[in-house]
Amino acid sequence: MDWYWHPLVRPAYSEVTFAWTIFFAARLFLQFSLFENQNVNSLAITNFITGWPATILLLILSYLYGTWRLAQLRGPSVDEYREDTPAPWKSQRRGF
């Protein structure tokens, strides 16, 4: 768990968390406004689009961005962190 708090690792996870927060806030705002206006057809379409399709797309984009961002930050990989390997690190190359 300490690896996630490393200063060269945490920004990647914080940025992805921020993207998910924006997604759910926008989804809530959009659905609530459509509900308040009693726009049933648009609400149904919005629920469908912002449901599984958007969630799967955001999962894929989160993984791609997260792995790219970890490489850009050049922090230690999980194995390098556990073994207390000194810098320069290879960074996390698989998984996010």
Side-chain angles (χ1 to χ4, degrees), residues 44-88:
I45 292 169
T46 301
N47 277 337
F48 175 75
I49 292 172
T50 61
W52 284 109
T55 303
I56 291 170
L57 179 63
L58 190 55
L59 277 170
I60 293 168
L61 292 176
S62 295
Y63 179 82
L64 293 174
Y65 177 79
T67 53
W68 173 80
R69 187 69 170 121
L70 285 174
Q72 295 298 312
L73 290 169
R74 299 182 196 276
S77 68
V78 176
D79 295 332
E80 290 170 329
Y81 183 80
R82 285 181 185 160
E83 296 168 4
D84 202 24
T85 305

Side-chain angles (χ1 to χ4, degrees), residues 9-23:
V9 173
R10 187 169 180 231
Y13 288 92
S14 297
E15 292 162 10
V16 169
T17 300
F18 183 71
W20 279 91
T21 303
I22 295 298
F23 168 71

Side-chain angles (χ1 to χ4, degrees), residues 83-95:
E83 296 168 4
D84 202 24
T85 305
W89 297 297
K90 293 179 184 174
S91 190
Q92 186 73 13
R93 298 290 180 200
R94 58 184 167 81

